[in-house]
Amino acid sequence: MVTSQRNLGEFGDIGDFGIGLWRMTTPSVDEARKYIESSLDAGVRLLDNADIYGANWGGSGRGSCEEMLGKVFVADKSLRQRCVLATKGGIIPGVPYDQSSAVLRKSCEDSLRRMGVDRIDLYFIHRPDLFAHPAEVAETLMALRSEGKIAEVGVSNFTVAQYDALRSFLPFKIVASQPEYSAANLGPLRDGTFDSCMRDGVIPFAWSPLAGGRLLTGESMRPELITALDEIADRHATTRDAICYAFILSHPSRPIVLLGSQRPERIASAVNNPLRELPKIDLYKIVAASEGKKLP
Ligand SMILES: NC(=O)c1ccc[n+]([C@@H]2O[C@H](COP(=O)([O-])OP(=O)(O)OC[C@H]3O[C@@H](n4cnc5c(N)ncnc54)[C@H](OP(=O)(O)O)[C@@H]3O)[C@@H](O)[C@H]2O)c1
C-alpha cells in the first residue's frame, strides 16, 4: 500500500510543512520564541536547524541559530516537547566539509550543547564530505545513535550513489533526504533522488521551496514560469506561493516543504491552505515552464 503520511520513525506523521531556521537571525529571544510558538500553534511540528546557520543572513556567526533555539527552549520549556527537532552537521567553514569521526562527533555534541537538548530527533549530514569513507561516517552515526545523542539520521544534498553508499554501511534506515526542490529547481524529479526516496520509504525535505523568495519576486526566474504559476493560482483562486507549495506536495514521494519565511502570518497561511495537490495538467505545465521547453 502507498503511504499517505510523512512517517518519521518513532515520531510518526510529521505533517506537510516544517520550518527552516536558516533565516532566524533575529537577536531577540522573544521574537524567536513567538515565531516558533506561532508556527507550532499553526500545526508545524518539524524544526530544521543546522550548526552552520547564523553564518549569513545577518546572523552573528556559525552556531547562532542553534544557540537562539536553545534560548527559546529555556524561555518556554514546553516548546521542545512539541517539536521534532532536526539539525545538521558536517560543514566546516574553510575546509569546507569534514565528516571524519572526531570532527562529526564534535559537531553533533556542540549542536546538543548549543540547543541545550539531550537528543537530536533527526541528525542530517548537511553536505557530503567527498573525502570521507562512508563506513567511517556510518560508524560515527551508529555510535551517536547508540549513545542516545541522535534518534534518526538524514542526508542532505547527497547524490543517490552517495546515499546508497552510506546506507549500505548502516544497520538502520536513513529516514530523510533533504534536496533543494521547487518549481524553479526540479533536480530531484530527474536525478533519482525522489525515486530512491520512494524505493526506500525515505521522506524528502524540500529546501528553498520558493527558491529563496525569488519565485515571489520573479528575480532570475523565467517569465513563463511566473506566468504559468499565476495562471494556475487564478484558476484555483489562490496565491502564487500556495501553488509553489502544492507543486512540491503533489509529488508521490510526499515531500515535506521546509518553509523559510520569518513571518508568522505567512507560516500560518501556508499551513492552513487546504490546497495540497495539483492536477497533472498543472504539474506538467509548471515543469515545462520551469525548463523552458515543451515536454516531448
Ligand atoms: N540543506 C540545505 O543545504 C539547505 C539549504 C538552504 C535552505 N535549507 C532549509 O530550507 C529552509 C527554507 O529555505 P529558504 O529560506 O530559502 O525558503 P524559501 O521559502 O524558498 O524562501 C524564504 C524567503 O522568501 C521570502 N518570501 C518572499 N515572499 C514570500 C512570500 N509571499 N511567502 C513566503 N516567503 C516569502 C521570505 O521572506 P519573509 O521572511 O519576509 O517572509 C524568505 O526570505 C531553510 O530555513 C533551511 O532550513 C536547507
Side-chain angles (χ1 to χ4, degrees):
M1 197 185 87
V2 177
T3 172
S4 64
Q5 291 188 329
R6 279 106 177 150
N7 280 313
L8 193 138
E10 66 179 83
F11 306 101
D13 183 2
I14 54 167
D16 298 345
F17 294 92
I19 51 166
L21 305 185
W22 181 30
R23 300 176 199 262
M24 195 186 72
T25 52
T26 171
S28 161
V29 179
D30 200 45
E31 196 181 316
R33 183 192 58 74
K34 283 184 184 143
Y35 172 68
I36 302 288
E37 186 180 38
S38 63
S39 300
L40 297 176
D41 288 347
V44 165
R45 281 188 73 204
L46 190 279
L47 309 188
D48 182 68
N49 215 333
D51 58 0
I52 192 76
Y53 292 174
N56 53 17
W57 297 110
S60 56
R62 179 175 189 267
S64 58
C65 291
E66 288 187 335
E67 266 165 24
M68 178 53 85
L69 187 61
K71 289 177 187 169
V72 167
F73 287 155
V74 169
D76 182 343
K77 291 187 177 45
S78 71
L79 298 178
R80 172 65 186 102
Q81 310 312 317
R82 294 176 62 194
C83 71
V84 175
L85 177 60
T87 198
K88 318 183 196 71
I91 298 182
I92 308 292
V95 178
Y97 314 120
D98 193 342
Q99 284 135 38
S100 44
S101 195
V103 175
L104 188 58
R105 167 174 285 280
K106 182 173 177 340
S107 296
C108 178
E109 290 172 348
D110 286 348
S111 291
L112 286 166
R113 181 182 44 74
R114 280 190 291 261
M115 295 189 288
V117 297
D118 300 330
R119 188 181 75 155
I120 292 158
D121 300 330
L122 171 57
Y123 193 64
F124 280 100
I125 304 292
H126 204 154
R127 287 185 182 273
D129 173 357
L130 306 174
F131 298 96
H133 197 296
E136 184 184 358
V137 178
E139 215 171 281
T140 313
L141 292 169
M142 280 187 271
L144 291 167
R145 195 176 194 243
S146 69
E147 292 160 27
K149 292 175 176 161
I150 61 176
E152 302 286 356
V153 164
V155 293
S156 181
N157 306 300
F158 272 48
T159 64
V160 174
Q162 288 164 340
Y163 154 81
D164 278 338
L166 180 59
R167 147 185 111 107
S168 74
F169 290 104
L170 285 169
F172 49 81
K173 223 175 118 160
I174 292 172
V175 297
S177 173
Q178 187 173 146
E180 180 174 15
Y181 183 59
S182 70
N185 289 285
L186 304 181
L189 275 184
R190 297 193 193 275
D191 67 10
T193 301
F194 284 164
D195 302 300
S196 67
C197 285
M198 291 185 285
R199 179 191 67 193
D200 298 339
V202 173
I203 309 174
F205 285 38
W207 66 257
S208 287
L210 301 176
R214 287 179 299 114
L215 278 163
L216 273 297
T217 62
E219 184 200 331
S220 328
M221 291 290 123
R222 285 181 193 280
E224 63 265 44
L225 174 57
I226 302 302
T227 304
L229 291 169
D230 285 345
E231 184 278 317
I232 295 167
D234 282 349
R235 229 175 334 100
H236 291 273
T238 189
T239 53
R240 194 193 301 165
D241 53 339
I243 296 301
C244 292
Y245 299 142
F247 173 74
I248 294 170
L249 294 169
S250 294
H251 193 270
S253 62
R254 311 283 292 156
I256 285 181
V257 173
L258 286 180
L259 298 166
S261 176
Q262 292 305 297
R263 301 194 198 189
E265 68 279 10
R266 284 183 171 165
I267 302 295
S269 108
V271 175
N272 293 328
N273 194 315
L275 184 67
R276 292 291 200 265
E277 201 168 341
L278 295 175
K280 287 205 175 165
I281 192 164
D282 291 342
L283 296 173
Y284 280 112
K285 187 171 184 171
I286 292 170
V287 170
S290 181
E291 294 180 337
K293 54 179 190 255
K294 271 191 173 170
L295 288 154

